Amino acid sequence: MGVLQTLFGDDARVLYERNFQLLLLASLSSPLGASVVSPILEGLTGPLGVSSTRVGLLMAVFTAPAVVLIPVVGVLSDRVGRKPVLTAGLLLFGLAGLAVPLTTDFRVVLGLRFLQGVGYTGIAPVLITSVGDIFADDDEAEAAAQGLRFTAVGVSLTVFPVLSGALVVLAWQYPFLLYGLAVPTALVVFLLFEEPTAEAGNDGDDSVRALLALAAHPRVAATLVGRAVPSFLWFVFLTYNSVVVVRLLDANPGVAGLLVAVASVASSVSSTQSGRITAAFDTRVVPMLVATTAVGGGVAALAFAPSVLVAGVGVVFTGAGFGVGLTLYRSALTGSAPTDLRGGLVSLGESAGRLGSTVAPVLTGAVIAVAEPSLGGTGAIRWGVFGVVVAGVVVGALSVAVVHRYDLPTPSPAATTAD
C-alpha cells in the first residue's frame, strides 16, 4: 500500500474494498451528462437545425428531472435497495445517450436528454448513499471514501470534455458514444456489486413521514441548507469566471477555461484529504466553516483580481474549499440517518445542492443588473459577485452554527460518529 498510504494515510484501506471499487467505476459515468455535451453545444446547432439559444435546452432538460425525482429515487433506493436503482439508472443514462446520434430531430434529442436526466437521478445520489452504507461504522474512512469518490468524478470531468471536443471534429455524433461507458458499468454493477443495505426500509407513508421528521430536525435541516452553499458558490464561480477573465482582465476564453481546470484539479486533490481532515478535528464544524470561507474568499479574490495570476490563486482556494466542503456535507448527511432512511436523506441533500446551483447564476445576475446603473458595468460585476458570495458564506456559517449546537437525532445509529 506504499504509494496509496503516502497519499491517503491509513484510510487508503478503503480502496481495497471491492464494493467501493465498483462505486468508483460508476462514478466515472455520473458527471458525463453535462461534461460531454457542454463543450460541443455550438457544434450541434447545424446538425440539429436550431439556434444557439435553443441548443442550450439540451442542458436544461437534462438537469430538470433531478430537482423533483432525486428525493423520490432516494426513497425508492431505501425500499428496494441500492443495487437495482443504480443498475437501472446507469442503463437508462447510457442507452439514452447512445441513441442521440440516431436522429437529427431536435425534439427527439430533447426527449432522450430528459431520459438521461431521469437516469442520472438513480446514479449520483445512490453512489453517495452507498458509500455511507459501506463505511457506516467508520466515520473517518467514510469521509475519505466520499473524498475519493469525488476525485473519481474530478478525473472524469477533466478527461471526458477533452475527448468530447476532439471527437466532435470527426463527426457530431461521436461524442455521444462516450455514454456507452455507462452500459458495461451497469452490467458489472449488476453482476458484482453486493447490496450494502441489510434490510428493506419502511413501507409507504411510514417511510415518507419518517424521512420528513428526520429532515425537520434542526441539525439535519441546517446540514441540508449548508449542503446547498458550496454548490451555490461554485456555480457563481463557473458562471462569472469567464466574464471576469475576458471582460475585466482582458484575457481570452482559453484562459478562463484553464482557470476552471485549475479549480477542478484543486477540488479533486483536496477531497482526497477529507479523511485526514476529519481525523484532525474533534468536530466537523471547523473544517466545514473553513471550507465554506475558502470557496467564498476564492470567488471574491477572482472578482477583484488585478491580474490573471491573482485570479489563479483565488480559484485554487475556490476549488480546494469546494472539494472539502462538499465532501464533508455529504458525509455528514450519510451519518445523520439510519440505513432505511439514508438514501432519502442523501437525495434531499443532492436536491438542495441542485437548487443552490440553479439559484446562483440567477440571483447574481439580478444583483448585477440592479447595481449597474449606480456602479457601472465593472463595479457592478465585482461588487455584485462579492455581495452574493458574502451572503452565501453567511448562510453557510449560520448553518454550521446550528449543526454545532444540536446533537444528532437519537434514532440514528450514527449519533456518536458524525459531528
Side-chain angles (χ1 to χ4, degrees):
M1 286 183 24
V3 175
L4 296 177
Q5 183 77 24
T6 300
L7 291 174
F8 310 121
D10 293 338
D11 292 319
R13 67 186 186 278
V14 303
L15 291 169
Y16 294 88
E17 163 65 47
R18 190 179 73 169
N19 258 6
F20 181 60
Q21 292 171 354
L22 295 172
L23 296 181
L24 290 179
L25 174 64
S27 294
L28 296 177
S29 296
S30 64
L32 296 184
S35 63
V36 167
V37 174
S38 179
I40 65 172
L41 278 176
E42 187 63 29
L44 297 177
T45 55
L48 300 181
V50 294
S51 66
S52 297
T53 302
R54 289 190 68 202
V55 80
L57 291 173
L58 293 176
M59 299 294 284
V61 296
F62 173 75
T63 58
V67 176
V68 175
L69 290 183
I70 281 181
V72 176
V73 173
V75 172
L76 181 65
S77 77
D78 285 333
R79 296 188 63 187
V80 306
R82 319 298 187 211
K83 181 176 179 176
V85 175
L86 179 57
T87 301
L90 286 166
L91 275 177
L92 180 59
F93 178 82
L95 292 175
L98 287 173
V100 171
L102 302 179
T103 181
T104 56
D105 188 321
F106 186 61
R107 290 170 297 181
V108 175
V109 174
L110 285 178
L112 291 170
R113 286 287 289 166
F114 183 87
L115 289 177
Q116 277 196 290
V118 174
Y120 171 85
T121 64
I123 302 175
V126 177
L127 292 174
I128 298 165
T129 306
S130 297
V131 171
D133 293 332
I134 295 170
F135 301 105
D137 297 327
D138 190 336
D139 194 45
E140 293 174 15
E142 194 270 343
Q146 294 287 6
L148 289 168
R149 197 202 69 82
F150 189 83
T151 299
V153 170
V155 170
S156 181
L157 285 171
T158 302
V159 173
F160 284 99
V162 177
L163 289 177
S164 180
L167 289 171
V168 78
V169 175
L170 303 177
W172 74 268
Q173 298 95 333
Y174 286 178
F176 292 94
L177 299 180
L178 296 174
Y179 289 120
L181 172 66
V183 177
T185 300
L187 179 61
V188 171
V189 168
F190 177 75
L191 293 176
L192 300 179
F193 189 67
E194 297 177 1
E195 178 60 57
T197 52
E199 56 185 11
N202 297 325
D203 290 333
D205 293 340
D206 289 341
S207 178
V208 174
R209 281 196 294 266
L211 176 60
L212 292 177
L214 178 64
H217 185 279
R219 179 179 173 123
V220 178
T223 306
L224 287 169
V225 173
R227 164 64 185 87
V229 172
S231 296
F232 175 88
L233 296 173
W234 179 251
F235 267 75
V236 173
F237 159 65
L238 290 180
T239 304
Y240 285 92
N241 168 63
S242 61
V243 175
V244 171
V245 170
V246 176
R247 188 182 302 181
L248 305 188
L249 299 181
D250 200 26
N252 59 60
V255 174
L258 180 61
L259 290 183
V260 173
V262 169
S264 298
V265 171
S267 68
S268 297
V269 172
S270 68
S271 65
T272 66
Q273 304 304 306
S274 297
R276 285 177 167 175
I277 293 171
T278 300
F281 294 90
D282 294 331
T283 172
R284 284 192 177 126
V285 168
V286 173
M288 279 178 172
L289 186 58
V290 171
T292 301
T293 304
V295 183
V299 179
L302 169 69
F304 286 95
S307 67
V308 171
L309 180 61
V310 175
V313 174
V315 302
V316 169
F317 278 92
T318 297
F322 177 68
V324 173
L326 190 62
T327 300
L328 291 180
Y329 271 110
R330 283 172 166 170
S331 180
L333 285 173
T334 61
S336 297
T339 300
D340 60 341
L341 297 178
R342 188 174 291 132
L345 184 61
V346 169
S347 296
L348 286 177
E350 292 308 290
S351 288
R354 284 287 175 131
L355 183 61
S357 301
T358 303
V359 169
V362 177
L363 178 60
T364 309
V367 171
I368 290 173
V370 170
E372 190 167 9
S374 57
L375 298 179
T378 298
I381 293 171
R382 294 191 190 280
W383 287 104
V385 170
F386 179 78
V388 170
V389 164
V390 169
V393 171
V394 169
V395 171
L398 291 175
S399 300
V400 171
V402 175
V403 169
H404 182 59
R405 180 176 179 180
Y406 289 90
D407 293 329
L408 278 168
T410 51
S412 172
T416 60
T417 62
D419 190 17

